[in-house]
Amino acid sequence: MRTRLIIAFIVVAVLAAIPAAWLVNLVLPYYPSLASLAAMPSPLSHLLLVPPGARTLAHPRTVAVVVFCLVAGALLLAVITGLAVAASRRVLLPVRRLARAAQRMVGGDLSVRIEPNGRDELARLVTSFNMMACALEDKICELQRMEARARQFAGDVSHELRTPLTAMTAVVDILPGHPDLTGDAAGAAQLVSQEIRHLNRLVHDLIEISRFDARTAQLVVDNTDVAAAVAACLRARGWSDVVTGIPAGLTMPLDRRRFDVILANLIGNALCHGSPPVTVQASIRPADGGEQLALLVRDHGPGIPPDALPHVFERFYKADTARSRSEGSGLGLAIACENTRLHGGHIEAANLPSGGALFTLRLPLPQAAPAVLPDGEPVTVTSS
Amino acid sequence: MATVLLVEDDPAARQGLELALRRLGYEVRLAETGEAALGGVCEAAVDVVVLDVMLPGVDGFEVCRRLRRGSDVPVIMLTARGDDFDIVAGLEAGADDYVVKPVEPRVLDARIRAVLRRMARAGSPAETYGELVIDRASLVVRRAGREVSLTPTELRLLLVLSGSPRQVFSREQLLDLVWEHDYLGDSRLVDACVQRLRAKIETDTSEPRYIQTVRGFGYRFGPV
């Protein structure tokens, strides 16, 4: 806006300067004292319509009339320019406000509204814009409410299932191998017991994922030795045929439980769907602006079908639709993904050219901060 | 065998858990509401309370808070949600440990055993640290000459930490030594218990003298 004003004034000034220069030349012969000024080299002299020094004769009265006309013309020009600028401002200002409002909507702020000014077409455009923003906001809010209700429902159902499951889980151990149960009854008891465990796992995973949806999942971070965490994960699940290559002393702040869930899902997935040997390797690598932990889990099986690759982290996704049910809940990799995201990292799935699937877990390393001691005493840390 | 007060409003869950606890060899008393639980602890010798969080009327957190005013009986919260909010609120209310429903009987058994386990008495003479006197023979803690009332878990935490003054224990180690949790225990148990212990033995909990935090590592006792 300001630039245009400046340009307008420059134009007016230049337009006014040309006749002024001509005028000066006209008057000079009558005022010899000014002639010395005109003789001085000046950028203005290029604009002179009459070359300096030329003899031009005009009566001072004529000059006065010309001067009056010129000044009046210049003033008129300035007024017209001012009016044009004001008119353009009246049009441009609401358009600019509209553009800004639209930008804010693009940025996700649907509450933006513009105060309409006047009764012209622009005001009507502003009113229409407001109505559109209103309708859009209502629609999005309704969609968000529906989504929240659906998620809440899934969470509530899972919670409700826990109460009957508590009673069943408490007594289920009594059934298998009970001396009173023989033949079909023993088989049925075995099946019921096994399926209660499966149901438990499913409900547990559903509640876990609903906590991510509700954004109530929290990190409880501890300084963790990665190699020890992997070893503990394998030991706790009895997975003895996994090859690990993790440097000793690689520690970083992690939520132990959540990190274990990530490891168990990635390694369990490799053991279940891939072929041995399953390897787990970890290293610290430079990443944008810092360092990251890269943990690689690979198997030597057939790999992931290319059409399944983009979907492996989706909830309840099964690469083989014919397979009715797997060991897990179908939520394992989705939960691993959410836990990784909570740590600020991500997981990538890929197929190796040599065969087998490769899952890469990447977690950013925080900037190193030394342990703070209240009184500067040396720290004795015992190794567990 | 230990007596467990089971506070659970859902009849099926109450019946199932009672059956499981009896099979594990516990004496079981039942309470359906928070009010009944508060009365039950007073009238009968109860060794441990297994307390459901979601109770009609007085909820589990409030029951725990009221219990703590006059009793050091160990409390294990039984949370149906496992929500972080529930767990933190339960620990702040004074619970020693928690389990998430549905709980397997062997897990509940292990937790009950852990909170009931007392530290072995040692024949060593009472140790004095500033105003604090820790008598490992009689398992009594005095601050400025006055006996401090501690729950078994708080006492164990203090004895473990003060057993090796100046040594830093990670929260993981403390979970293993005090709560006997597996490697995936919830370290917030340690933090909550440290807070309660500090409230009882420290003069200024914002500048603890005895139980000191070593950020990024864990806790240590002293140097006083």
Side-chain angles (χ1 to χ4, degrees):
Chain A
M1 194 69 220
R2 208 168 292 158
T3 336
R4 277 182 218 187
L5 267 175
I6 292 168
I7 290 171
F9 278 115
I10 289 173
V11 167
V12 170
V14 166
L15 284 175
I18 295 167
W22 179 68
L23 188 72
V24 166
N25 226 38
L26 214 64
V27 177
L28 271 182
Y30 295 92
Y31 302 96
S33 56
L34 286 173
S36 57
L37 267 177
M40 287 167 69
S42 122
L44 215 72
S45 48
H46 295 289
L47 288 166
L48 296 186
L49 299 176
V50 183
R55 280 274 160 199
T56 318
L57 285 175
H59 196 273
R61 200 176 298 154
T62 323
V63 172
V65 170
V66 171
V67 167
F68 174 78
C69 290
L70 284 174
V71 170
L75 277 174
L76 194 68
L77 202 62
V79 168
I80 290 169
T81 312
L83 283 173
V85 169
S88 76
R89 263 178 75 94
R90 226 183 113 70
V91 177
L92 286 176
L93 214 64
V95 171
R96 209 164 284 138
R97 276 163 64 204
L98 264 171
R100 266 202 299 270
Q103 275 299 323
R104 276 173 64 188
M105 282 183 77
V106 170
D109 178 9
L110 295 176
S111 67
V112 61
R113 301 287 182 274
I114 310 165
E115 192 67 43
N117 221 341
R119 293 164 150 231
D120 55 1
E121 278 76 8
L122 274 169
R124 277 204 289 281
L125 176 63
V126 165
T127 313
S128 304
F129 176 88
N130 283 345
M131 281 162 69
M132 178 194 74
C134 213
L136 203 59
E137 191 182 19
D138 287 352
K139 203 70 173 170
I140 296 286
C141 282
E142 176 61 23
L143 281 172
Q144 280 172 343
R145 269 196 297 276
M146 278 166 67
E147 193 189 354
R149 269 202 298 273
R151 289 179 175 205
Q152 178 73 38
F153 179 72
D156 287 348
V157 167
S158 318
H159 285 313
E160 288 305 315
L161 285 172
R162 272 201 167 170
T163 307
L165 265 176
T166 300
M168 287 196 273
T169 308
V171 296
V172 72
D173 288 348
I174 301 169
L175 291 179
H178 196 283
D180 294 349
L181 297 173
T182 51
D184 287 351
Q190 191 66 44
L191 187 65
V192 166
S193 141
Q194 171 197 313
E195 288 307 291
I196 286 176
R197 280 199 187 91
H198 187 257
L199 194 57
N200 255 337
R201 199 156 50 234
L202 184 61
V203 169
H204 174 272
D205 283 359
L206 273 170
I207 289 176
E208 188 81 9
I209 213 128
S210 73
R211 226 170 276 150
F212 286 110
D213 291 344
R215 297 177 200 279
T216 56
Q218 289 175 353
L219 274 186
V220 184
V221 172
D222 264 321
N223 226 16
T224 307
D225 186 301
V226 175
V230 171
C233 172
L234 298 177
R235 197 171 50 241
R237 288 162 184 88
W239 293 333
S240 50
D241 47 355
V242 175
V243 185
T244 58
I246 302 166
L250 204 170
T251 62
M252 67 182 287
L254 292 167
D255 184 314
R256 272 307 297 270
R257 186 185 73 82
R258 296 191 186 281
F259 187 56
D260 185 74
V261 169
I262 299 169
L263 289 174
N265 277 310
L266 292 182
I267 299 170
N269 191 62
L271 287 169
C272 183
H273 301 295
S275 306
V278 169
T279 62
V280 182
Q281 286 165 311
S283 60
I284 300 291
R285 294 178 185 178
D288 31 46
E291 290 182 312
Q292 65 172 206
L293 167 79
L295 189 133
L296 285 67
V297 180
R298 74 182 82 192
D299 64 61
H300 291 78
I304 306 161
D307 55 332
L309 205 51
H311 307 289
V312 286
F313 295 109
E314 287 173 13
R315 297 170 189 190
F316 297 117
Y317 181 78
K318 289 198 171 100
D320 178 9
T321 45
R323 193 177 64 230
S324 56
R325 215 168 63 179
S326 68
E327 265 287 291
S329 63
L331 290 165
L333 285 177
I335 288 175
C337 225
E338 295 283 1
N339 276 314
T340 308
R341 225 172 277 157
L342 205 60
H343 279 92
H346 63 277
I347 310 178
E348 296 151 13
N351 283 319
L352 289 162
S354 54
L358 167 70
F359 284 83
T360 311
L361 165 74
R362 296 185 193 280
L363 297 175
L365 247 72
Q367 302 297 331
V372 178
L373 287 174
D375 49 9
E377 281 285 314
V379 187
T380 332
V381 183
T382 56
S383 55
S384 51
Chain B
M1 195 63 191
T3 304
V4 179
L5 175 66
L6 174 66
V7 192
E8 167 66 70
D9 64 314
D10 182 77
R14 193 170 60 236
Q15 198 185 343
L17 286 168
E18 185 198 0
L19 194 60
L21 286 169
R22 278 197 207 290
R23 277 174 62 86
L24 288 165
Y26 293 99
E27 184 78 35
V28 186
R29 287 175 205 281
L30 299 170
E32 290 176 35
T33 62
E35 289 88 343
L38 289 164
V41 173
C42 296
E43 69 194 35
V46 170
D47 298 304
V48 59
V49 180
V50 175
L51 181 60
D52 186 24
V53 170
M54 300 287 281
L55 291 171
V58 184
D59 69 13
F61 305 125
E62 187 55 32
V63 172
C64 192
R65 264 190 292 272
R66 289 196 202 168
L67 269 179
R68 277 285 165 264
R69 282 181 205 151
S71 163
D72 291 325
V73 63
V75 175
I76 298 174
M77 283 280 187
L78 194 55
T79 158
R81 294 195 269 180
D83 277 349
D84 288 318
F85 170 76
D86 268 17
I87 292 163
V88 172
L91 297 176
E92 278 174 358
D96 292 90
D97 206 342
Y98 71 89
V99 287
V100 177
K101 281 185 190 174
V103 59
E104 283 184 43
R106 59 176 183 83
V107 173
L108 186 57
D109 183 38
R111 300 290 171 86
I112 292 175
R113 281 173 194 278
V115 295
L116 282 176
R117 195 160 295 141
R118 310 246 167 203
M119 292 300 281
R121 286 161 198 265
S124 51
E127 303 148 14
T128 306
Y129 305 94
E131 285 192 328
L132 203 66
V133 179
I134 301 172
D135 188 343
R136 290 178 189 272
S138 59
L139 296 178
V140 167
V141 176
R142 287 193 182 80
R143 190 186 135 213
R146 192 172 295 174
E147 189 175 332
V148 185
S149 166
L150 298 174
T151 69
T153 317
E154 290 158 4
L155 181 65
R156 285 179 62 179
L157 178 63
L158 180 61
L159 293 182
V160 165
L161 285 169
S162 64
S164 312
R166 293 186 181 215
Q167 180 187 317
V168 181
F169 289 89
S170 70
R171 298 194 282 183
E172 211 172 298
Q173 284 174 302
L174 291 171
L175 272 172
D176 179 32
L177 292 165
V178 179
W179 283 264
E180 296 172 19
H181 276 213
D182 61 8
Y183 70 109
L184 284 181
D186 186 341
S187 53
R188 286 172 301 185
L189 282 171
V190 183
D191 300 337
C193 196
V194 164
Q195 295 304 323
R196 293 201 302 271
L197 191 54
R198 278 179 179 161
K200 290 181 180 179
I201 63 169
E202 301 281 357
T203 319
D204 179 4
T205 49
S206 61
E207 278 192 35
R209 208 174 148 205
Y210 305 110
I211 315 285
Q212 298 182 0
T213 307
V214 183
R215 257 176 57 194
F217 288 98
Y219 297 102
R220 66 173 176 191
F221 188 85
V224 180

